[in-house]
Amino acid sequence: MKLKLFAIIATLTFGMTSCNDDDEAIVVVEDNTITGIASNNANLSSLVAALNRADLTNTLQTTGPYTVFAPTNAAFTTFLQANGFATLQDVPIPVLKEILLNHVVNGAAQSTSLTNNMYLKTLAKGTASSTNTLSMHVNTTSGVKLNGVSNVTTPNVLASNGVIHIVDAVIGLPTIVTHATANPNFSSLVGALTGAGQPDFVGILSGVGPFTVFAPTNAAFTSLDAELAPGGIAGVSTANLTKVLQYHVANGNVLSTSLTNNQVVATLQTPQSFTINLSPARITDVNSRVSNITATDVQCANGVIHVLDKVLLPTF
């Protein structure tokens, strides 16, 4: 009887232990990281596949925090078609990695912290700079629009290591033209660059470069129009307007940290140059007119933009 009782107790003990072991084996820990949330969203399966191909999946599972602008499957389909790729497997991994990093920003930026005409720094780098990561323009005039091409359709999907904003288009690596056209404060500059009789500035400033562009705002063009009264800007010949525009562009990716006091900058309007002065940062053109540098280091894939409050004038 003692032996039988011992056998029964041993069997029950073994059974209970087995059940406990089984219970522990099927415990599932929910992944609330950016990668985990994206993996559980069927509409982001292309993004997850792209992250896996570019070996970035683990990155977005780390502490962060990160802000990710997540393109939908439809956005990836449009991107592939527009760039001549049949599938994600056809996109070179280095290219895909940079494009994906161009959707990631350090910090957890919810939509309420995004303001009109602000620039964010992504984790991507173009070929123009080894130190300055690419800029992302934010337009909040109607919803949230990024670099003039991608709209936030679902904001503030909170993750344990940041936040996801779902977007309707893949955000390509921005050129100087991308940033000039995305920011409505540069519409006068864009109009001048694309005016009748001008060289193909869009083609030039979309090229490899790198270029440094000192970009006057709309207010700067309005001021110039008054300065040139009574004829205004309309009285400037096409040839002279070309000279004005070329006078705002220099070769190289010259960041603000590389500018020095009394530095003479050669421009594409050869052989004319202008002079940099610091404290405060400003430019003196060949006509002794002074323009303030109001914003710096808007990084593009093929160069950098610094913002001016006055149009520079060369000698005609």
Side-chain angles (χ1 to χ4, degrees), residues 90-108:
D90 299 311
V91 184
I93 291 178
V95 173
L96 183 61
K97 185 172 184 177
E98 284 301 294
I99 290 172
L100 291 171
L101 289 175
N102 194 47
H103 293 73
V104 184
V105 175
N106 278 319

Side-chain angles (χ1 to χ4, degrees), residues 149-161:
V149 297
S150 187
N151 298 287
V152 173
T153 56
T154 304
N156 303 331
V157 180
L158 301 182
S160 60
N161 62 339

Side-chain angles (χ1 to χ4, degrees), residues 34-35 38 43-60 66-73 75-77 79-80 83 85 87-89 91-106 121-126 133-136 146-147 150 163-165 167 169-174:
I34 291 168
T35 297
N43 203 27
L44 298 179
S45 60
S46 293
L47 172 62
V48 173
L51 291 170
N52 287 333
R53 176 166 166 74
D55 196 24
L56 290 174
T57 304
N58 291 338
T59 299
L60 298 182
Y66 300 109
T67 299
V68 175
F69 297 94
T72 61
N73 295 345
F76 270 99
T77 298
F79 165 78
L80 293 173
N83 290 277
F85 298 118
T87 68
L88 276 174
Q89 299 302 312
V91 184
I93 291 178
V95 173
L96 183 61
K97 185 172 184 177
E98 284 301 294
I99 290 172
L100 291 171
L101 289 175
N102 194 47
H103 293 73
V104 184
V105 175
N106 278 319
K121 300 297 293 180
T122 75
L123 300 191
K125 286 185 177 180
T133 58
L134 296 178
S135 300
M136 176 187 288
L146 308 165
N147 284 1
S150 187
V163 60
I164 300 170
H165 304 291
V167 297
V170 172
I171 309 165
L173 305 186

Side-chain angles (χ1 to χ4, degrees), residues 68-227:
V68 175
F69 297 94
T72 61
N73 295 345
F76 270 99
T77 298
T78 300
F79 165 78
L80 293 173
Q81 292 173 346
N83 290 277
F85 298 118
T87 68
L88 276 174
Q89 299 302 312
D90 299 311
V91 184
I93 291 178
V95 173
L96 183 61
K97 185 172 184 177
E98 284 301 294
I99 290 172
L100 291 171
L101 289 175
N102 194 47
H103 293 73
V104 184
V105 175
N106 278 319
Q110 294 193 39
S111 59
T112 51
S113 68
L114 302 177
T115 58
N116 199 37
N117 290 328
M118 75 182 297
Y119 287 98
L120 302 172
K121 300 297 293 180
T122 75
L123 300 191
K125 286 185 177 180
T127 57
S129 174
S130 61
T131 58
N132 195 28
T133 58
L134 296 178
S135 300
M136 176 187 288
H137 178 263
V138 178
N139 186 325
T140 60
T141 303
S142 179
V144 175
K145 193 164 195 172
L146 308 165
N147 284 1
V149 297
S150 187
N151 298 287
V152 173
T153 56
T154 304
N156 303 331
V157 180
L158 301 182
S160 60
N161 62 339
V163 60
I164 300 170
H165 304 291
I166 299 176
V167 297
D168 64 0
V170 172
I171 309 165
L173 305 186
T175 65
I176 289 169
V177 171
T178 302
H179 276 309
T181 54
N183 191 333
N185 283 327
F186 295 139
S187 60
S188 294
L189 174 62
V190 172
L193 290 169
T194 57
Q198 293 300 323
D200 182 17
F201 281 117
V202 171
I204 294 169
L205 297 178
S206 296
V208 175
F211 303 103
T212 299
V213 175
F214 295 86
T217 61
N218 293 347
F221 274 94
T222 300
S223 177
L224 178 65
D225 202 44
E227 184 180 344

Side-chain angles (χ1 to χ4, degrees), residues 30-46:
E30 188 175 0
D31 184 357
N32 285 318
T33 66
I34 291 168
T35 297
I37 290 173
S39 298
N40 286 320
N41 187 328
N43 203 27
L44 298 179
S45 60
S46 293

